[in-house]
């Protein structure tokens, strides 16, 4: 799957001022509903999934999270990037330990195998120090979109 095709400029949000994961999920859901990508129950699905199966990943000194649902549950497959102004705690996948995280890759992919492929792609990108440096910068959404396109996310 070409994940870059699922990331669009209107799905990149930066400098988000949120207190916690729930605030972030509410803010992103509100934007995605407004843009007609999801239904209002998307937020509940994200939180339920996160409570059952944490999506935080830490590698090479960088922490990201990949909150997701599956496209069968929503209307359109997509990838949405949210970069918070300050870190929020997210539980790490497999460890259930809190880790501060600023960068979130929300996804709504057609199947669990495609979600796994996306996870593998992000893990590969996280091995590149430049990836962490670029996403840590206070960037304009267009700059982030172009950078991720160049990375062939």
């Amino acid at each position: 799957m070409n994940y870059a095709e699922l990331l669009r400029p209107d799905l990149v949000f930066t400098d988000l001022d949120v207190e916690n994961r729930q605030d972030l999920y509410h803010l992103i859901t509100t934007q995605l509903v407004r843009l007609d990508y999801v239904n209002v129950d998307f937020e509940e699905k994200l939180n339920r999934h996160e409570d059952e199966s944490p999506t935080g990943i830490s590698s090479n000194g960088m922490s990201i999270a990949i909150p997701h649902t599956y496209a069968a549950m929503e209307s359109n497959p997509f990838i949405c990037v949210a970069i918070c102004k300050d870190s929020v705690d997210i539980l790490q996948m497999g460890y259930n330990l809190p880790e501060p995280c600023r960068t979130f890759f929300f996804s709504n992919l057609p199947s669990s195998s495609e979600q796994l492929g996306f996870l593998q792609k992000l893990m590969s990108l996280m091995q590149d120090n430049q990836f962490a440096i670029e996403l840590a910068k206070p960037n304009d959404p267009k700059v982030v979109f172009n950078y991720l396109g160049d990375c062939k996310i």
Side-chain angles (χ1 to χ4, degrees):
M1 171 171 259
N2 184 349
Y3 301 106
E5 290 178 357
L6 301 178
L7 178 64
R8 300 181 245 329
D10 62 338
L11 295 177
V12 178
F13 304 95
T14 60
D15 203 33
L16 300 176
D17 190 12
V18 295
E19 294 291 321
N20 54 43
R21 175 193 100 194
Q22 291 80 6
D23 287 351
L24 175 62
Y25 288 11
H26 178 75
L27 178 64
I28 292 301
T29 297
T30 300
Q31 293 300 318
L32 293 173
V33 167
R34 182 181 62 78
L35 295 167
D36 204 29
Y37 283 100
V38 299
N39 298 317
V40 293
D41 61 347
F42 185 71
E43 179 181 357
E44 178 188 337
K45 292 174 188 175
L46 285 175
N47 278 304
R48 183 174 48 238
H49 187 273
E50 193 72 39
D51 291 341
E52 294 169 0
S53 301
T55 64
I57 304 166
S58 189
S59 179
N60 202 26
M62 179 183 192
S63 292
I64 65 170
I66 53 165
H68 59 279
T69 64
Y70 300 107
M73 302 168 79
E74 300 295 334
S75 57
N76 300 312
F78 64 83
I79 293 171
C80 168
V81 179
I83 302 176
C84 301
K85 185 185 298 187
D86 297 311
S87 296
V88 298
D89 281 342
I90 192 83
L91 294 179
Q92 292 300 297
M93 186 184 304
Y95 300 103
N96 291 345
L97 297 172
E99 180 81 23
C101 180
R102 289 184 56 239
T103 306
F104 292 76
F105 290 87
F106 291 84
S107 63
N108 183 48
L109 301 175
S111 70
S112 59
S113 64
E114 287 166 333
Q115 183 64 38
L116 179 59
F118 183 54
L119 168 63
Q120 291 169 335
K121 178 66 176 176
L122 288 174
M123 290 294 294
S124 174
L125 288 171
M126 289 173 74
Q127 300 311 306
D128 179 357
N129 288 335
Q130 194 62 34
F131 185 73
I133 291 168
E134 290 300 320
L135 292 182
K137 292 178 182 176
N139 280 320
D140 177 276
K142 291 177 186 170
V143 172
V144 173
F145 174 79
N146 290 333
Y147 175 72
L148 292 174
D150 291 345
C151 289
K152 296 182 179 26
I153 191 167

